[in-house]
Amino acid sequence: MTPEINGDRLLARLEALATIGRNRSGELTRLALSDEDTRARSQVMQWLEEAGARVWIDRIGNIHGASSGENAQPAVCTGSHIDTVINAGALDGSYGVLAGIELLQTLHEQGLKPATSIEVIVFSNEEGVRFTPDLLGSRVMVKDVSLSEALAVESRTGEQFGSELKRSGSTGDVDPWQHLPGSFVELHIEQGPLLEATNNQIGIVEGVQGHSWWQVEVQGQANHAGTTPMHLRRDAGQAAMRLAQNLSEHASRQSVPAVATVGTLSLVPGAINVVPGQARFTVDFRDASADVLRQADIRLHQEARQLEDDGFRVDLRSISRAEPVFFSADIVAAISNAANARTLRTLRMISGASHDAQMISRICPTAMIFVPSVGGISHHPAEATNAADLIMGAQILADVVWALAN
Amino acid sequence: MTPEINGDRLLARLEALATIGRNRSGELTRLALSDEDTRARSQVMQWLEEAGARVWIDRIGNIHGASSGENAQPAVCTGSHIDTVINAGALDGSYGVLAGIELLQTLHEQGLKPATSIEVIVFSNEEGVRFTPDLLGSRVMVKDVSLSEALAVESRTGEQFGSELKRSGSTGDVDPWQHLPGSFVELHIEQGPLLEATNNQIGIVEGVQGHSWWQVEVQGQANHAGTTPMHLRRDAGQAAMRLAQNLSEHASRQSVPAVATVGTLSLVPGAINVVPGQARFTVDFRDASADVLRQADIRLHQEARQLEDDGFRVDLRSISRAEPVFFSADIVAAISNAANARTLRTLRMISGASHDAQMISRICPTAMIFVPSVGGISHHPAEATNAADLIMGAQILADVVWALAN
């Protein structure tokens, strides 16, 4: 028998948490370890205690809240984060954390004890806005980044992560890897438009896209825009735009890669009446297949060579690369079973965004559950998910975690 | 009998003038009415006096130097400017001024007196870098801008043009329009690649291109670059690039207009991992025909409507417009005759850049003479013209002015 969560309480707590860090203009910002984030952490720890959980903080600031189980197996874990970007929405991260707490509270109220312990983890500095890299709490847990390295990370304004942990009273003396999860399920809003566009209720997330990021610089010849005939120009701006458009069209038509984005572009000298002598832009390739990602990289090199044949100099610099992540087929099956049992419309999908789950998947069976994002919007005040979808997602999380723990 | 100028003296004076305003790194900058410009103005007035000219400054700071003629007809005028852009070349403006002085000096030395007075005008603030608008001295002369308005113009750092005139001792009490030219010939470097590319020595300039400048803003939808599939994007950056490329290709293939340039482009929010929601760029159309310029404007509106049909919002704002200028057929014929008499290779052409001559053409028969620019480069330290071309251009100016004055 699966515990039925209290949907109204979940929605009320989402609203309550969203008031912490909201300024007079209505903008919500809770950068990692800021005063706002610290207040939100206190609130979340209080709710964990109300839910009867044993609560502790580890040395990188991750908050843990665990119900006791009947056996001594590693816990079935869920969780997400409560730090935000600047001028954020109310759901990103918070939703997964509060849904986990809702499950613990329900078990507590109904006197239900799982065979294996169930644990909620609130990862520190997921967004990476104030402190780089992102996913810092989960990275340290899986030793992608060492604890000492992480504590020494500095913000742009010079504050150290370790000092800020102390200042905010967020530090504990338990090593982050002391109690590793036995399995991990993260519930999150999709942050994309696919579930809504296909009229589905639950996304069964089988993995996370890899990415390949490039900085491209095209060198031509700056010239007077009035005196230089078209056929005698080497316009770096037009060359860069041609390259950018070819990459985008190749992704649209051939899906190589799944998505390609040119998010920044600047022209030098950048004057209305000067033919650009130089253009700089970034390329963001993403795909669930490492092979397709490599094909996209090769395509970029071919396009660059084409421009060089036309008399331009092109410099390519790889600025970030991550291989795709594949989640556990067992956890994916557990999510699918739970959704089918409630006859929900589901879509198997790949996450386009990064999540702590991709780090945790290195050390235990892991998968994710998505709920629809209205208009696909996130990292924005307009971020929203219908109440019914929020409640149903949290129930599916409860069903899956309960099933894994028993 | 035409006076033969002293080419070596001209070249030596070009070099001497270029040392005024050159800093320790070798960069030449003489912004209008700066201390450097003031020193150059003193030097030029001294040379005019050595050439036996009557020298005066008018109330907008234009320097005039006139030889006396036998009749009382309005003077045959030549001239250009000696203010520069930042990190300029040695020839832009200075060449036309020193070639005019060289003619006066030659007449003085050889005791030649023209029927009609010959006058060299050194126009103030041609470049418009420190004080906007450009062509200020000639604009006031032809009443395109009023004297009081021009004196009140402020630089970005708050200095007033009128105060700077006084500070630099560059002000006179003669109205700029008191002695209007009877005709005007301006000698200038081409600042473009056409004469060199076609292996010609003299450009016979029949007019100045008109221009139409636009600010374009494309509004789409910002989205997460990882989670938004290609077919669900409204990428303002890609839309803007498509529009910019279509305009450039239409100019290249159909010559509508002669040249089209996208010199600035920015993407908003401008992050590597965000699909641009907004793109802003400028368009610079130029053509010698007002009708073709209008066709280019219409084309821009059609392209914008096409994007709107595809779901984007496009705002167009006209930020500057100038109709094409047509020079005097008589002066053009005089230049052609002079060049033919010396069996030079000539090209009839349209100026792509702005010059004081386009203002003066409103009040008297006017045309221009161009000499080749090596590599088409100007407004840059690499600005250069072969010595033989410089001397030949100045001789043709002397021939034309002498012919018009007799």
Side-chain angles (χ1 to χ4, degrees):
Chain A
M1 178 58 204
T2 290
E4 294 290 320
I5 63 158
N6 181 337
D8 290 339
R9 179 169 56 200
L10 171 64
L11 298 181
R13 283 183 171 175
L14 275 167
E15 276 193 28
L17 189 57
T19 62
I20 303 179
R22 181 161 276 159
N23 68 14
R24 286 173 195 168
S25 319
E27 292 176 351
L28 171 62
T29 303
R30 282 197 309 263
L31 299 183
L33 302 184
S34 62
D35 292 346
E36 296 76 19
D37 187 36
T38 304
R39 287 206 302 280
R41 292 167 62 89
S42 299
Q43 174 63 78
V44 162
M45 284 195 282
Q46 186 194 315
W47 283 329
L48 278 169
E49 274 157 12
E50 285 176 25
R54 184 169 58 89
V55 179
W56 72 95
I57 304 176
D58 66 31
R59 292 170 69 194
I60 195 61
N62 299 322
I63 298 168
H64 303 253
S67 76
S68 53
E70 284 167 355
N71 62 36
Q73 297 293 311
V76 175
C77 294
T78 184
S80 194
H81 62 97
I82 58 171
D83 67 317
T84 73
V85 296
I86 294 166
N87 197 15
L91 300 175
D92 181 352
S94 298
Y95 173 52
V97 168
L98 296 185
I101 295 176
E102 178 53 39
L103 169 59
L104 292 188
Q105 180 98 37
T106 299
L107 298 181
H108 186 58
E109 282 175 356
Q110 299 179 9
L112 295 171
K113 191 166 184 176
T116 302
S117 170
I118 294 175
E119 179 182 327
V120 174
I121 309 177
V122 186
F123 293 102
S124 59
N125 188 37
E126 193 269 352
E127 294 290 3
V129 173
R130 187 177 175 210
F131 297 99
T132 304
D134 60 357
L135 313 178
L136 193 64
S138 53
R139 282 184 201 274
V140 172
M141 185 179 279
V142 306
K143 301 191 173 173
D144 182 65
V145 171
S146 77
L147 179 60
S148 57
E149 208 179 329
L151 293 174
V153 159
E154 285 189 5
S155 73
R156 279 193 202 172
T157 46
E159 299 102 340
Q160 224 175 30
F161 194 82
S163 316
E164 285 294 280
L165 267 182
K166 277 197 198 113
R167 188 188 68 85
S168 65
S170 298
T171 181
D173 52 8
V174 181
D175 281 331
W177 48 85
Q178 193 164 325
H179 307 285
L180 288 178
S183 56
F184 186 73
V185 187
E186 182 170 355
L187 172 67
H188 208 280
I189 55 169
E190 181 195 346
Q191 302 184 267
L194 274 182
L195 287 172
E196 183 182 69
T198 56
N199 192 27
N200 279 298
Q201 296 160 289
I202 293 288
I204 303 169
V205 186
E206 301 183 301
V208 181
Q209 288 183 331
H211 72 254
S212 175
W213 286 1
W214 295 89
Q215 176 81 45
V216 186
E217 192 175 299
V218 179
Q219 192 82 40
Q221 174 65 53
N223 275 121
H224 193 296
T227 59
T228 316
M230 299 306 284
H231 70 283
L232 293 177
R233 297 181 175 200
R234 278 194 301 136
D235 184 330
Q238 292 289 334
M241 291 188 228
R242 193 158 74 237
L243 201 167
Q245 290 219 278
N246 287 350
L247 297 178
S248 179
E249 279 174 19
H250 200 63
S252 296
R253 291 183 190 162
Q254 314 287 328
S255 296
V256 177
V259 287
T261 305
V262 172
T264 77
L265 191 149
S266 66
L267 305 179
V268 179
I272 188 169
N273 56 350
V274 181
V275 177
Q278 198 182 72
R280 293 192 204 104
F281 62 99
T282 53
V283 176
D284 174 337
F285 288 142
R286 308 222 190 178
D287 204 281
S289 151
D291 185 50
V292 174
L293 215 48
R294 252 190 308 278
Q295 288 177 41
D297 289 343
I298 290 168
R299 177 87 188 185
L300 173 59
H301 282 82
Q302 288 169 340
E303 293 280 350
R305 205 169 310 130
Q306 181 62 52
L307 284 189
E308 293 191 319
D309 290 346
D310 295 346
F312 297 91
R313 210 186 72 215
V314 184
D315 288 323
L316 299 178
R317 192 160 60 88
S318 170
I319 52 180
S320 175
R321 206 168 198 296
E323 294 297 312
V325 169
F326 298 94
F327 285 149
S328 153
D330 290 344
I331 311 288
V332 164
I335 298 168
S336 179
N337 292 340
N340 288 340
R342 293 188 185 262
T343 64
L344 301 180
R345 296 182 302 279
T346 62
L347 182 68
R348 297 208 170 213
M349 59 193 302
I350 293 292
S351 175
S354 297
H355 297 289
D356 290 307
Q358 76 196 57
M359 284 296 143
I360 304 305
S361 72
R362 297 188 185 178
I363 54 162
C364 70
T366 297
M368 291 185 74
I369 303 166
F370 277 174
V371 294
S373 290
V374 176
I377 297 167
S378 76
H379 283 189
H380 190 276
E383 178 180 279
T385 298
N386 298 328
D389 288 335
L390 286 172
I391 295 169
M392 194 51 79
Q395 185 60 58
I396 295 299
L397 176 72
D399 293 353
V400 172
V401 170
W402 184 252
L404 292 171
N406 287 288
Chain B
M1 179 55 202
T2 289
E4 294 288 322
I5 63 159
N6 181 337
D8 290 339
R9 179 169 56 198
L10 172 65
L11 298 180
R13 284 184 171 176
L14 274 167
E15 276 193 29
L17 189 57
T19 63
I20 304 180
R22 182 161 276 160
N23 67 15
R24 286 173 194 167
S25 318
E27 293 176 351
L28 171 62
T29 303
R30 283 197 309 262
L31 298 183
L33 302 184
S34 62
D35 293 347
E36 295 77 17
D37 187 35
T38 303
R39 287 207 303 279
R41 291 166 63 88
S42 298
Q43 174 64 76
V44 161
M45 284 195 284
Q46 186 194 314
W47 283 329
L48 278 169
E49 272 156 13
E50 285 177 23
R54 184 168 58 88
V55 180
W56 71 96
I57 304 177
D58 66 31
R59 292 171 67 193
I60 195 62
N62 298 322
I63 298 168
H64 303 253
S67 76
S68 52
E70 284 167 355
N71 62 36
Q73 296 293 311
V76 175
C77 294
T78 184
S80 193
H81 62 96
I82 58 171
D83 68 316
T84 73
V85 296
I86 295 167
N87 197 15
L91 300 175
D92 181 352
S94 298
Y95 172 52
V97 167
L98 295 185
I101 294 176
E102 177 55 37
L103 170 59
L104 293 188
Q105 179 99 37
T106 299
L107 297 181
H108 186 57
E109 282 176 356
Q110 300 180 7
L112 294 171
K113 190 166 184 176
T116 301
S117 168
I118 293 174
E119 178 182 328
V120 174
I121 310 177
V122 187
F123 294 101
S124 59
N125 188 38
E126 194 268 352
E127 294 289 3
V129 173
R130 186 178 176 210
F131 297 100
T132 306
D134 60 357
L135 313 179
L136 195 63
S138 52
R139 281 184 202 275
V140 172
M141 184 178 281
V142 306
K143 300 191 173 173
D144 181 65
V145 170
S146 77
L147 179 61
S148 57
E149 208 179 330
L151 294 174
V153 161
E154 284 189 6
S155 74
R156 280 194 202 171
T157 47
E159 300 102 339
Q160 224 175 29
F161 193 83
S163 316
E164 286 292 283
L165 267 182
K166 277 198 199 113
R167 188 187 70 84
S168 65
S170 298
T171 181
D173 52 8
V174 181
D175 281 332
W177 49 85
Q178 193 166 323
H179 306 284
L180 289 180
S183 56
F184 186 73
V185 187
E186 183 171 355
L187 172 68
H188 208 281
I189 56 169
E190 180 194 346
Q191 302 185 268
L194 274 182
L195 288 173
E196 184 181 67
T198 56
N199 192 27
N200 280 297
Q201 296 160 288
I202 292 288
I204 303 170
V205 187
E206 302 183 300
V208 181
Q209 287 184 331
H211 72 255
S212 175
W213 287 3
W214 295 88
Q215 175 81 46
V216 186
E217 192 175 301
V218 180
Q219 191 82 40
Q221 173 66 53
N223 275 122
H224 193 296
T227 61
T228 315
M230 299 306 284
H231 70 283
L232 292 177
R233 296 182 176 200
R234 280 192 301 134
D235 184 329
Q238 292 290 334
M241 292 188 228
R242 194 159 72 237
L243 202 166
Q245 290 218 278
N246 287 350
L247 297 179
S248 179
E249 280 174 18
H250 201 63
S252 296
R253 292 182 189 164
Q254 314 286 328
S255 297
V256 176
V259 285
T261 306
V262 172
T264 78
L265 191 148
S266 67
L267 304 179
V268 179
I272 187 168
N273 57 352
V274 181
V275 177
Q278 197 182 71
R280 293 193 204 103
F281 62 99
T282 52
V283 176
D284 174 338
F285 288 143
R286 309 221 189 178
D287 204 280
S289 151
D291 186 51
V292 173
L293 215 48
R294 251 189 308 278
Q295 288 177 42
D297 289 343
I298 290 169
R299 178 86 186 185
L300 174 59
H301 281 82
Q302 287 170 340
E303 293 279 351
R305 206 169 308 131
Q306 181 62 51
L307 284 188
E308 293 192 318
D309 290 348
D310 294 346
F312 296 91
R313 211 186 71 215
V314 184
D315 287 324
L316 299 178
R317 193 160 59 87
S318 169
I319 51 178
S320 175
R321 204 166 198 297
E323 294 298 311
V325 170
F326 297 95
F327 286 149
S328 154
D330 290 345
I331 310 289
V332 164
I335 297 168
S336 179
N337 291 341
N340 288 341
R342 293 189 186 261
T343 62
L344 301 180
R345 295 182 303 279
T346 62
L347 182 70
R348 297 206 169 214
M349 59 192 302
I350 293 292
S351 173
S354 297
H355 297 287
D356 290 306
Q358 76 197 59
M359 284 295 143
I360 304 306
S361 74
R362 295 187 186 179
I363 54 162
C364 71
T366 298
M368 293 185 73
I369 303 166
F370 277 174
V371 294
S373 290
V374 176
I377 296 167
S378 75
H379 283 189
H380 189 279
E383 178 180 279
T385 298
N386 298 328
D389 287 336
L390 286 172
I391 294 170
M392 194 51 78
Q395 184 61 56
I396 294 299
L397 176 73
D399 294 351
V400 172
V401 169
W402 183 252
L404 291 172
N406 288 291

